Amino acid sequence: MGSGGREHALAWKLAQSPSLGKLFAAPGNPGIAEEAECVSLDASDHGAVVSFCRSHEIALVVIGPEAPLVDGLADSLAAADIPAFGPSKAAAQLEGSKGFTKDLCARAEIPTGGYVRTHSRDEAVAALDGFSAPFVLKADGLAAGKGVVISPTREHAEATLSDMFGGQFGSAGAQVVIEEFLEGEEASFFAITDGTHVIPLGTAQDHKQVGEGDKGANTGGMGAYSPAPVLTEALQQRVMDEIIRPTVDTMRSEGMPYSGVLYAGLMLTATGPQLIEYNCRFGDPECQVLMMRYQGDLAAMMLACAKGELEGAGAAFAQETALTVVMAAKGYPGTPQKGGAIALGDAEANGAKVFHAGTAIKDGSLVANGGRVLNVTATGASVTEAQKAAYDAVAKVDFASGFYRSDIGWKEVAREKGDTPQN
């Protein structure tokens, strides 16, 4: 279920699964259509999804985006005895409500920044007194990865709160979480769990800002690489012991067992890893680099997860680094220019892969149909080599109305050269 770059990466890897019979995608995109039969289904119409699955004897449904999970699609499928990869509506609150997650962290003593949940602008403005600049302001609900604002001054924070409670993020801003600003470097950690058993699933770092050097407006992600060397083996063990397992155990003990992929956004502080937020699905574009490295039968692992049979399972990844560059339509993350012509040429030569994130076919030609349009992905023995391979592939794509950052992976490239990355 889904139509973006994350779903293209999942479909591409699922299509390679030895256990796969027939793969459908709803609604899919032109890239996914090369891997699966695309069908027209509205994820919000649970009855239609269940009916399709029954009539086609579907053995597993992989729910890609967060919105259908928060809406309870996995519950509707479970009620029809159809295995689904993805958490229940109750468990998906880990992403659906920032406040829910912060409260859970408090109960389970999971390391995270201090916070206050607020329900009105006046309450939020008063709560700013308990924090110092820069202020971290988060719309509580789903906001397509754009509901977080770092305000450098009190004045900016108050204006931002006016926007949030004024409807800038729709219903997602009905509540706002104000958080302590954490110092350190961000990284992403992925695990898969059936509610009891937990398997580490890899690390990554992404680039949220639209501009070079991690400057400018927040986006859904302009690029990523995996693995993330800053998450050492020792730090990964701490993440599992102090953050992931306590979360899974607490959710199960409170009657909301979590099943699916658990994506932890982390800040690596001087005192250790702290949780910034959870996502209840694969990251986008982190999924693209994880799938480039994943070795194994993805369909079989997902089915085992959905059936609660992960005990003894493992996940294998190639040692090489994968790096992806997002090619976006001009105007993103504001109003993107749709309809721009795209020619991929031989961008996929030399092992690169172009995942479609926001494309369509118009009059027989490939065109842009979203903000983030393509994820040009390549591998190498290091971040430096993977970066070069990815940008070599980007150079072969003709997308005149698009743009991209030219520095994805810059911090790790600097470290590989023996330099200290400077923001």
Side-chain angles (χ1 to χ4, degrees), residues 46 49-61 72-85 303 306-307:
H46 296 191
V49 174
V50 168
S51 177
F52 177 89
C53 291
R54 282 176 168 160
S55 64
H56 291 80
E57 300 182 338
I58 298 299
L60 174 67
V61 179
L73 180 57
D75 303 75
S76 296
L77 290 163
D81 293 322
I82 300 166
F85 181 81
L303 183 60
K307 289 185 172 182

Side-chain angles (χ1 to χ4, degrees), residues 135-138 146-151 156 160 164 168-169:
F135 301 92
V136 182
L137 311 175
K138 295 183 177 181
K146 303 171 191 175
V148 179
V149 177
I150 310 297
S151 291
H156 185 277
T160 299
M164 286 183 164
Q168 184 182 52
F169 299 108

Side-chain angles (χ1 to χ4, degrees), residues 110-127:
I110 292 168
T112 189
Y115 74 103
V116 172
R117 297 180 72 170
T118 65
H119 302 79
S120 70
R121 182 189 180 279
D122 288 347
E123 181 186 4
V125 168

Side-chain angles (χ1 to χ4, degrees), residues 223-293:
Y225 59 92
S226 173
V230 293
L231 270 171
T232 62
E233 291 292 332
L235 284 176
Q236 290 183 53
Q237 190 60 54
R238 286 190 64 179
V239 172
M240 285 292 288
D241 293 343
E242 299 173 18
I243 298 175
I244 301 295
R245 284 199 178 95
T247 298
V248 172
D249 291 345
T250 300
M251 294 291 284
R252 184 179 65 253
S253 69
E254 295 183 354
M256 300 174 286
Y258 188 99
S259 175
V261 64
L262 189 56
Y263 160 18
L266 306 169
M267 185 67 76
L268 306 182
T269 73
T271 59
Q274 295 201 43
L275 182 70
I276 301 173
E277 64 181 12
Y278 271 130
N279 291 311
C280 63
R281 37 69 190 182
F282 282 101
D284 189 346
E286 293 94 340
C287 182
Q288 289 81 316
V289 288
L290 285 171
M291 291 303 106
M292 283 290 280
R293 297 180 54 236

